[in-house]
């Protein structure tokens, strides 16, 4: 079984998907983390031009799984789960994720991961491109201001020195690139259920979505 949640950056997809996975007793897959790992590989290899990077993509080993209840990503055997959250990676990830060959590469990893078990996954194009036949699809959204405020608070809690304005500009830029790229842009699948989280508390949005899942999938 696969449940997907798509939506723009900072809409609360990952934290909600994690919480839902925990309460339903299924696994969580963070597809953005895989794009971030590819981006980290690109940065670490000295930002080669696109053709050169694509030619060597299959040499990359990217794995995902759970360690102590936390979604974990390995790049060439190294746990990079923290490193992929830095603004160095966030600033380039949309650009790297817009390369069709990178999308094919990440999609293959995702299919391999989910074939083994039940998953709830979050991303941008899961309902429209990667898992078109998903058992249930959600599209989460919130106003730009609310998304920037949430992401800023998250980063401050982690001790990152960043202003609200910098977070706002990064989200604005990423939304634009994610929604306007040619390959599988961010958009709501026709059969996805839209959840607007503006003004909702975390618990409210989780319980709303949990009740939809229970009702639709009888679990
Ligand atoms: O969810 P996130 O912010 O960690 O995602 C990082 C980037 O990866 C995001 O800016 C766009 C890209 N992405 C994508 O293109 N398709 C997905 N399914 C997930 C993420």
């Amino acid at each position: 079984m696969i449940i997907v949640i798509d939506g723009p950056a900072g809409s609360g997809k990952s934290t909600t998907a994690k919480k839902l996975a925990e309460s339903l007793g299924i696994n969580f897959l963070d597809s953005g983390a895989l794009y971030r790992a590819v981006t980290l590989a690109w940065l670490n290899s000295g930002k080669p031009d696109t053709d050169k990077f694509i030619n060597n993509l299959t040499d990359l080993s990217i794995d995902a799984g759970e360690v102590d209840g936390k979604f974990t990503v390995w790049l060439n055997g190294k746990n990079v789960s923290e490193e992929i959250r830095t603004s160095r990676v966030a600033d380039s990830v949309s650009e790297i994720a817009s390369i069709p060959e990178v999308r094919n590469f990440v999609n293959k990893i995702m299919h391999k991961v989910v074939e083994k078990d039940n998953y709830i996954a979050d991303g941008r194009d899961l309902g429209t491109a990667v898992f078109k036949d998903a058992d249930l699809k959600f599209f989460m959204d919130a106003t730009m201001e609310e998304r920037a405020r949430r992401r800023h608070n998250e980063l401050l809690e982690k001790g990152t020195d960043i202003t609200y304005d910098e977070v706002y500009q990064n989200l604005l830029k990423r939304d634009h690139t994610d929604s306007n790229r040619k390959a599988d842009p961010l958009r709501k699948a026709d059969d996805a259920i839209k959840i607007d989280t503006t003004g909702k508390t975390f618990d409210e949005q989780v319980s709303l979505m949990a009740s939809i899942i229970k009702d639709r999938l009888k679990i």
Side-chain angles (χ1 to χ4, degrees):
M1 179 192 70
I2 173 91
I3 300 170
V4 298
I5 307 180
D6 288 311
S11 57
K13 306 178 301 289
S14 292
T15 38
T16 307
K18 255 182 241 166
K19 185 75 193 170
L20 287 168
E22 202 183 292
S23 61
L24 296 167
I26 62 176
N27 302 286
F28 164 60
L29 172 67
D30 177 349
S31 66
L34 303 177
Y35 285 103
R36 286 169 180 265
V38 176
T39 305
L40 180 63
W42 177 75
L43 290 167
N44 288 350
S45 55
K47 306 183 181 181
D49 66 45
T50 307
D51 287 346
K52 196 167 167 212
F53 185 60
I54 292 166
N55 285 339
N56 297 324
L57 253 187
T58 48
D59 293 343
L60 290 183
S61 152
I62 294 180
D63 288 306
E66 214 176 275
V67 175
D68 299 331
K70 273 198 180 157
F71 183 77
T72 305
V73 181
W74 293 268
L75 170 62
N76 299 326
K78 183 186 170 206
N79 182 343
V80 292
S81 310
E82 293 296 326
E83 210 178 337
I84 58 172
R85 302 286 154 202
T86 55
S87 51
R88 178 176 168 246
V89 173
D91 285 344
S92 297
V93 64
S94 286
E95 187 190 330
I96 297 301
S98 67
I99 304 170
E101 288 82 356
V102 168
R103 305 202 67 77
N104 279 336
F105 177 71
V106 168
N107 291 350
K108 279 189 194 137
I109 300 174
M110 282 196 265
H111 277 282
K112 212 170 119 200
V113 170
V114 309
E115 75 187 11
K116 296 178 211 142
D117 217 335
N118 293 325
Y119 274 85
I120 183 160
D122 83 296
R124 302 292 189 289
D125 62 337
L126 304 187
T128 53
V130 191
F131 301 110
K132 282 188 189 156
D133 297 329
D135 297 85
L136 193 55
K137 301 177 185 178
F138 289 103
F139 189 88
M140 289 179 75
D141 208 351
T143 60
M144 188 66 209
E145 287 70 23
E146 178 131 355
R147 291 191 283 121
R149 192 177 46 74
R150 286 183 197 155
R151 187 53 64 91
H152 186 222
N153 285 342
E154 254 170 53
L155 290 166
L156 289 185
E157 273 167 30
K158 282 187 195 156
T160 312
D161 182 20
I162 192 162
T163 65
Y164 169 86
D165 238 39
E166 285 167 327
V167 175
Y168 189 99
Q169 290 308 324
N170 173 269
L171 290 189
L172 200 66
K173 193 170 142 226
R174 283 211 280 148
D175 273 6
H176 184 265
T177 315
D178 295 344
S179 309
N180 292 290
R181 68 176 175 229
K182 284 208 180 80
D184 302 328
L186 165 70
R187 67 174 181 80
K188 180 188 163 301
D190 293 339
D191 52 350
I193 300 166
K194 183 163 181 188
I195 307 285
D196 187 341
T197 65
T198 310
K200 283 194 179 61
T201 66
F202 181 64
D203 288 346
E204 279 168 354
Q205 76 203 29
V206 169
S207 73
L208 169 67
M209 290 167 77
S211 68
I212 295 173
I213 293 171
K214 283 180 189 139
D215 185 44
R216 296 281 182 104
L217 300 181
K218 310 290 173 222
I219 53 170

